[in-house]
Amino acid sequence: GAGVSQSPRYKVAKRGQDVALRCDPISGHVSLFWYQQALGQGPEFLTYFQNEAQLDKSGLPSDRFFAERPEGSVSTLKIQRTQQEDSAVYLCATTRDRGTDTQYFGPGTRLTVL
Amino acid sequence: EDQVTQSPEALRLQEGESSSLNCSYTVSGLRGLFWYRQDPGKGPEFLFTLYSAGEEKEKERLKATLTKKESFLHITAPKPEDSATYLCAVQAANNFNKFYFGSGTKLNVKP
């Protein structure tokens, strides 16, 4: 595709529900990152994939957060038993190659947990 | 601990009034420093990468500079369409996979 796309753009969940957020990267991009951006803050690293391998998940805030990229393309970030503190914008970014610096971001998914 | 601090948090300028945004950082070996622009409801958009002290890059009314401790984003004769949040991020030399972002400077340019 022409750019990184994310769906849904907006998600409202009741506390305790599970949610799944999708990222469609630019075709052929090897590296994929997930970030969490709270209101008025910069993006915070969650996890990193190189192709289908999840090489760094040190930023995931709890074991309720899980990410996968099974075929090295589309990625899904899953949050189980959502809490109010999970409310944020979740951004996906991709780079063409490993070690390439220019990150291309998607528009984000705004998650609101009631 | 790797850290990025941006100042000011918010900046209001009149159209044509030049100014600078600051990004100070501490990182265990800098591989790259990045500037992004973020409009409301959108993801960050890449502007510049700087790799070494003394390096400068320009794009239209924007110019980014880098020292060993900080980076500046200079905005010359800004226009209302330059209004956005400007984010700075650093990439450590010992971990290419992580980018540490500052909280951003929200710029508002009045006509």
Side-chain angles (χ1 to χ4, degrees):
Chain A
V4 179
S5 60
Q6 293 186 245
S7 59
R9 290 295 316 279
Y10 304 92
K11 177 70 179 177
V12 178
K14 291 183 179 178
R15 190 161 52 97
Q17 283 185 332
D18 297 350
V19 298
L21 313 180
R22 178 186 169 108
C23 172
D24 284 82
I26 295 172
S27 178
H29 275 207
V30 168
S31 297
L32 186 145
F33 303 77
W34 281 99
Y35 291 90
Q36 181 188 62
Q37 187 173 26
L39 190 64
Q41 301 297 313
E44 282 200 31
F45 172 85
L46 293 177
T47 188
Y48 162 71
F49 289 86
Q50 182 184 326
N51 295 307
E52 68 278 4
Q54 188 175 20
L55 299 184
D56 189 337
K57 55 182 180 180
S58 62
L60 295 177
S62 77
D63 57 9
R64 296 186 295 105
F65 287 71
F66 172 77
E68 60 182 5
R69 193 185 185 198
E71 298 179 359
S73 180
V74 171
S75 177
T76 304
L77 176 67
K78 297 179 180 178
I79 309 174
Q80 297 177 324
R81 304 182 302 282
T82 52
Q83 304 294 315
Q84 284 190 319
E85 60 262 29
D86 300 334
S87 296
V89 174
Y90 291 85
L91 294 164
C92 174
T94 68
T95 66
R96 189 183 68 241
D97 299 309
R98 178 183 179 274
T100 303
D101 305 319
T102 302
Q103 293 191 322
Y104 296 89
F105 282 83
T109 295
R110 180 177 295 279
L111 172 66
T112 303
V113 181
L114 302 177
Chain B
E1 182 181 326
D2 299 333
Q3 194 169 332
V4 178
T5 303
Q6 291 189 246
S7 62
E9 289 185 10
L11 182 62
R12 298 179 69 174
L13 299 173
Q14 285 297 127
E15 184 172 1
E17 179 187 1
S18 301
S19 188
S20 296
L21 314 182
N22 178 265
C23 170
S24 61
Y25 62 91
T26 54
V27 65
S28 49
L30 178 72
R31 181 171 191 272
L33 184 140
F34 307 83
W35 283 98
Y36 291 84
R37 169 190 171 127
Q38 187 172 27
D39 293 296
K42 296 189 176 181
E45 177 186 348
F46 172 78
L47 293 173
F48 303 110
T49 308
L50 301 166
Y51 292 103
S52 56
E55 189 175 0
E56 299 182 351
K57 288 196 177 170
E58 284 189 69
K59 179 180 179 181
E60 296 180 357
R61 296 176 292 282
L62 300 177
K63 178 179 172 181
T65 62
L66 181 64
T67 72
K68 288 187 177 180
K69 300 276 189 190
E70 58 191 348
S71 176
F72 292 93
L73 185 66
H74 307 276
I75 303 177
T76 302
K79 297 182 177 182
E81 54 262 40
D82 295 323
S83 298
T85 295
Y86 290 85
L87 295 165
C88 168
V90 298
Q91 183 186 31
N94 62 355
N95 189 350
F96 286 16
N97 304 333
K98 274 189 177 172
F99 294 78
Y100 298 91
F101 281 82
S103 295
T105 294
K106 187 173 183 178
L107 175 65
N108 185 7
V109 182
K110 297 256 183 203

